Amino acid sequence: MTPEFTRIIDIRHLEAKPVTITASAEEAKALAKRFLLVAVNELEATVTLTRDGPVVNAKGRLKADFVQSCAVSGEDLPMKVDEALEFRFVPATSIETEDLSADQEIEITSDDCDEIEYTGERFDLGEAVAQSLGLAIDPFATGPQANRVRQESGLLGEDKTGPFAALAALKNPKS
């Protein structure tokens, strides 16, 4: 699968200054399809890349303006994201998963979770930003019509099904 938002960076030509990447209209449309959004109106990231040997640290901000569907009513919800980005591009490891036995433990630290492997001298900053957008989307976002649709559909709300509803039922048992 070809990434929708590709910005290839060659580690041999890095400068410690901010790099800004912006999705074109075509890329935004493709990202909306990938993430099941109504539309991606704007996607921009400004990232400073610093090299530490073969490791490249990336710090910056992701800004996005998109429209997603309410998880309950399906209505369009305009959303904005403005959040910090921080990840590391690391050379692909030589450890193959087949070298590990089924009962062997691997310890993963929180730093490992934001590492993106690359091979050769290049990595895709655009795909890393696209994945960050995907993580920033709330798949359970609800809009102002959600409660009305729940009631019309006979769905019980949080007050009827949540953990405190069970406690309330114990306090006031039906006779």
Side-chain angles (χ1 to χ4, degrees):
M1 181 174 122
T2 304
E4 302 85 351
F5 184 50
T6 298
R7 298 296 186 276
I8 302 298
I9 303 292
D10 189 319
I11 66 169
R12 297 170 293 186
H13 304 290
L14 285 181
E15 296 179 33
K17 64 179 186 179
V19 175
T20 299
I21 60 174
T22 305
S24 69
E26 295 81 27
E27 291 166 330
K29 185 176 180 181
L31 287 167
K33 182 176 179 183
R34 174 180 175 181
F35 295 121
L36 304 175
L37 299 170
V38 175
V40 173
N41 301 320
E42 181 183 359
L43 173 61
E44 179 179 283
T46 300
V47 182
T48 299
L49 303 167
T50 55
R51 188 169 174 185
D52 183 13
V55 174
V56 178
N57 295 302
K59 290 185 180 184
R61 290 209 76 73
L62 166 69
K63 293 183 180 184
D65 179 346
F66 56 92
V67 179
Q68 72 180 99
S69 297
C70 171
V72 177
S73 70
E75 67 189 294
D76 288 354
L77 298 176
M79 306 294 277
K80 289 189 182 293
V81 170
D82 182 354
E83 62 181 43
L85 290 176
E86 186 171 348
F87 36 81
R88 296 167 11 123
F89 294 96
V90 298
T93 60
S94 60
I95 298 175
E96 298 294 327
T97 54
E98 58 197 46
D99 294 342
L100 302 174
S101 65
D103 59 345
Q104 187 174 358
E105 289 186 29
I106 300 174
E107 187 172 328
I108 297 177
T109 66
S110 62
D111 291 338
D112 296 328
C113 296
D114 293 330
E115 288 186 351
I116 302 166
E117 290 188 342
Y118 71 91
T119 56
E121 303 291 329
R122 300 162 22 128
F123 60 85
D124 191 347
L125 179 61
E127 177 58 19
V129 169
Q131 290 178 17
S132 296
L133 171 64
L135 292 172
I137 298 168
D138 178 0
F140 304 107
T142 57
Q145 299 301 317
N147 284 336
R148 180 187 56 79
V149 170
R150 282 186 188 108
Q151 289 174 345
E152 289 174 359
S153 302
L155 298 174
L156 298 175
E158 179 70 21
D159 61 327
K160 303 276 192 244
T161 61
F164 295 109
L167 291 174
L170 291 173
K171 183 177 176 183
N172 301 318
K174 293 181 180 178
S175 302

